[in-house]
Amino acid sequence: MTDTVSPLAGKRLEPSMLVDVAALTKAYYDRPDPAARAQQVAFGTSGHRGSAFAKSFNEAHILAIAQAVCLYRRQQGVDGPLFLGIDTHALSRNAFESVLEVFAANGVVTMIDEKLGFTPTPVISHAILTYNRGRSSGLADGVVISPSHNPPADGGLKYNPPHGGPADTDATGWIEKQANAFLAEDLAGISRIPYEKALKNADVRRYDYISGYVADLANVVDMEAIARAGVAIGIDPLGGAGLDYYQPIIERYGLNATIVSKEIDPTFGFMTADWDGKIRMDCSSPYAMASLIGMRDKFDVAFANDTDADRHGIVTRSSGLMNPNHYLAAASAYLFTNRPGWRADAAIGKTAVSSAIIDRVAAKLGRKLVEVPVGFKWFVDGLLSGSFGFAGEESAGASFLRMDGTVWTTDKDGIILGLLAAEITAKTGSDPGALYGKLTAELGDPRYARVDAPATASQKAVLKNLTAEQITTRELGGQSIEAILSKAPGNGAAIGGVKVTAADGWFAARPSGTEEVYKIYAESFRDEAHLARIQEDARRIVGEAFAAAG
């Protein structure tokens, strides 16, 4: 976030300020200009996202992407079923219909929720992996229609290949290029049939997503321990796709849990506004999570998910809403001492911009730490092979292995991360906030922040390609610089920016993929004043790089 917080932050918006769903739905059928860059298909780290109002998420985009996915599947020899999920954003249902029209016309066996309900991202990943287990041919893949925690006017679509996780840039680049070619040709070459006909097509099959996922949870989280301890749990799906899953979970495992809000409303008017006064279902934001935070004393532990339930927000009695980095550290420390079925060499995966407290936890545990660039796709292979026991990123997304050390999901799973908070409380007698407090007493108490700073397109390009040789400064926060990284040490892949470290702190700077800003992540193991000094040095170092580039 920036340094400026809106006066609307943490408050419910007036009805007049909410998205006009009727107008948004009408705009979905407007045609984008294929020659305008901002109106083309663009796959980021989590698929294609945009808004119908901006002509960046419209029927034409979705038809083109769906046809491109069909062609990509044929090219890759993927001929098993495609598991299709959607979240509760207003445009998701329209996009679902568009996708199904194309998939049915192309003969793709498509698995949709048996009641045409909502399906979270981790459930799709779980379904893909469950189906593909033991198979070498006829493999399944999936599509999730969701812009994650983005504002109500946005839409999104992401593709998960047979490995069950986010597609890599080779796949998304191919799909993006082909989809834009369809847009440029006024959708020529796209096969589709009417939605009502598609629903009755033999290749479109109803599937019970809920039962399979819920029944399997006992193999990844100690549900019996949670029930036996009677942990009082508060759950807020934030009006998202996880809502239909929590009551079956509560009933199957006999949990002492309360779903604190069951509202589903495409305007998300029940949400409190985020830091900038916009509605955003960001379960790591104290402003968006104001309602659940206000209930912290009613429960032993509480948690929320974003709209596709791939992110988690943990609220504890001891510390309120946990910073995502803090929970990743606490979860890592707990899991690796409570999962005897995991491989002795199973590592902890983290992104380059996640807290260094995780590094210290790994050292304490004697576990290997693998640091990768931003994006959950970098964790897929490690989770699939069992070589990563736990993998997480600072934006509150993580997953971990089953009890027996085999893969659970290769995409983020906010549901199991929430239930894990209850398991920690049940088995240790302390909530995750208290566990984190014990860790910092031993390993140091870091101060972490992310802020945005303005940058032009040319400056963002400079930052993306910045190298250690271009940085002449030798100090950070009053300490000698120990390392300057442009590639992640865990896999040698480009960070897409730079990371500078010293003994008691570090910063990383990366350009935004969607806005004219760059992001500064910084951390100090001293105090707030030292953190501010690191942030100041970070701005100066990046500014010098911009100036040198002209």
Side-chain angles (χ1 to χ4, degrees):
M1 65 182 68
T2 65
D3 296 322
T4 304
V5 176
S6 168
L8 297 173
K11 302 175 183 176
R12 291 194 179 189
L13 300 184
E14 294 295 327
S16 61
M17 302 176 72
L18 302 178
V19 65
D20 184 336
V21 174
L24 180 68
T25 302
K26 184 175 182 293
Y28 175 76
Y29 297 99
D30 292 342
R31 279 296 182 96
D33 179 357
R37 186 177 182 84
Q39 297 181 34
Q40 295 175 354
V41 171
F43 273 78
T45 55
S46 297
H48 173 73
R49 295 184 186 178
S51 174
F53 288 144
K55 291 189 177 180
S56 53
F57 191 91
N58 303 81
E59 180 190 46
H61 295 108
I62 306 309
L63 294 174
I65 293 171
Q67 186 66 52
V69 167
C70 293
L71 296 180
Y72 181 78
R73 298 180 92 243
R74 291 173 200 162
Q75 183 201 71
Q76 297 295 311
V78 179
D79 54 3
L82 183 146
F83 291 91
L84 178 61
I86 69 169
D87 79 352
T88 55
H89 275 77
L91 292 177
S92 292
R93 185 62 65 181
N94 301 87
F96 174 83
E97 295 181 4
S98 300
V99 162
L100 208 60
E101 290 176 357
V102 175
F103 287 167
N106 280 270
V108 174
V109 174
T110 306
M111 314 297 279
I112 62 174
D113 180 77
E114 62 179 355
K115 297 179 181 177
L116 294 182
F118 305 106
T119 312
T121 285
V123 175
I124 294 298
S125 180
H126 177 269
I128 293 169
L129 293 171
T130 300
Y131 183 87
N132 288 342
R133 189 172 294 125
R135 297 177 186 267
S136 58
S137 62
L139 299 178
D141 56 359
V143 164
V144 181
I145 299 170
S146 168
S148 188
H149 63 290
N150 278 26
D154 285 7
L157 185 152
K158 55 186 176 181
Y159 173 66
N160 286 31
H163 59 50
D168 62 23
T169 51
D170 288 342
T172 58
W174 194 96
I175 293 169
E176 176 184 302
K177 183 178 180 180
Q178 185 60 59
N180 282 321
F182 284 128
L183 289 181
E185 294 298 322
D186 199 28
L187 306 184
I190 292 178
S191 300
R192 64 188 294 203
I193 60 177
Y195 175 65
E196 292 302 325
K197 186 177 179 181
L199 275 181
K200 298 175 183 177
N201 189 286
D203 290 325
V204 174
R205 301 174 187 176
R206 305 296 178 106
Y207 184 77
D208 180 5
Y209 282 102
I210 295 176
S211 295
Y213 179 86
V214 171
D216 209 10
L217 280 171
N219 292 311
V220 69
V221 177
D222 194 340
M223 304 299 289
E224 183 179 337
I226 298 171
R228 187 169 58 247
V231 178
I233 308 166
I235 304 171
D236 191 347
L238 299 183
L243 177 59
D244 289 343
Y245 287 73
Y246 281 117
Q247 194 58 44
I249 290 171
I250 292 168
E251 292 175 0
R252 181 179 180 92
Y253 296 105
L255 303 185
N256 178 22
T258 302
I259 303 171
V260 302
S261 174
K262 297 183 178 181
E263 289 186 77
I264 288 186
D265 171 11
T267 71
F268 290 90
F270 53 84
M271 287 289 302
T272 51
D274 203 359
W275 63 273
D276 56 357
K278 295 180 181 179
I279 291 178
R280 193 178 285 110
M281 286 60 70
D282 183 353
C283 47
S284 65
S285 165
Y287 304 106
M289 288 278 284
S291 297
L292 190 60
I293 294 170
M295 302 179 195
R296 62 187 278 189
D297 293 331
K298 295 182 178 181
F299 305 103
D300 296 321
V301 69
F303 62 89
N305 301 125
D306 63 345
T307 47
D308 67 324
D310 68 346
R311 300 189 185 206
H312 58 271
I314 309 299
V315 177
T316 67
R317 279 184 174 172
S318 65
S319 58
L321 177 65
M322 293 187 72
N323 178 292
N325 281 299
H326 298 178
Y327 185 56
L328 295 183
S332 298
Y334 173 82
L335 283 166
F336 282 91
T337 52
N338 286 272
R339 293 296 187 270
W342 289 4
R343 285 167 40 176
D345 64 346
I348 297 175
K350 61 162 273 193
T351 54
V353 298
S354 298
S355 174
I357 190 69
I358 302 169
D359 304 49
R360 299 187 181 193
V361 168
K364 169 182 166 65
L365 294 168
R367 291 283 180 167
K368 180 181 179 182
L369 181 85
V370 181
E371 185 171 310
V372 300
V374 173
F376 209 79
K377 64 184 179 183
W378 301 108
F379 298 131
V380 169
D381 290 342
L383 289 169
L384 203 56
S385 67
S387 61
F388 284 180
F390 176 86
E393 51 188 7
E394 55 78 34
S395 56
S399 190
F400 52 91
L401 299 178
R402 295 168 179 267
M403 299 280 191
D404 65 1
T406 59
V407 64
W408 169 255
T409 61
T410 46
D411 214 328
K412 302 182 288 286
D413 190 337
I415 296 174
I416 64 167
L417 266 297
L419 293 171
L420 178 66
E423 180 189 328
I424 292 171
T425 305
K427 297 189 76 171
T428 69
S430 300
D431 65 42
L435 174 57
Y436 179 74
K438 293 176 183 177
L439 290 173
T440 58
E442 178 184 355
L443 304 176
D445 190 4
R447 303 292 188 271
Y448 178 100
R450 194 203 94 186
V451 295
D452 295 346
T456 64
S458 59
Q459 287 174 330
K460 286 165 59 179
V462 168
L463 180 55
K464 184 177 182 179
N465 297 296
L466 196 61
T467 64
E469 291 73 25
Q470 294 172 277
I471 296 177
T472 58
T473 303
R474 291 292 170 258
E475 284 194 353
L476 176 67
Q479 294 181 309
S480 297
I481 289 175
E482 296 181 347
I484 301 174
L485 305 173
S486 57
K487 294 183 178 180
N491 61 1
I495 293 173
V498 66
K499 182 175 182 179
V500 180
T501 63
D504 293 327
W506 60 272
F507 85 85
R510 299 173 56 250
S512 169
T514 57
E515 301 175 273
E516 295 301 292
V517 299
Y518 72 93
K519 303 173 183 181
I520 299 174
Y521 308 81
E523 184 170 51
S524 167
F525 274 84
R526 290 187 180 179
D527 50 35
E528 292 290 345
H530 187 236
L531 174 62
R533 189 172 178 183
I534 290 174
Q535 291 171 320
E536 183 181 341
D537 285 349
R539 291 189 181 93
R540 177 177 50 79
I541 290 170
V542 174
E544 289 173 354
F546 289 163

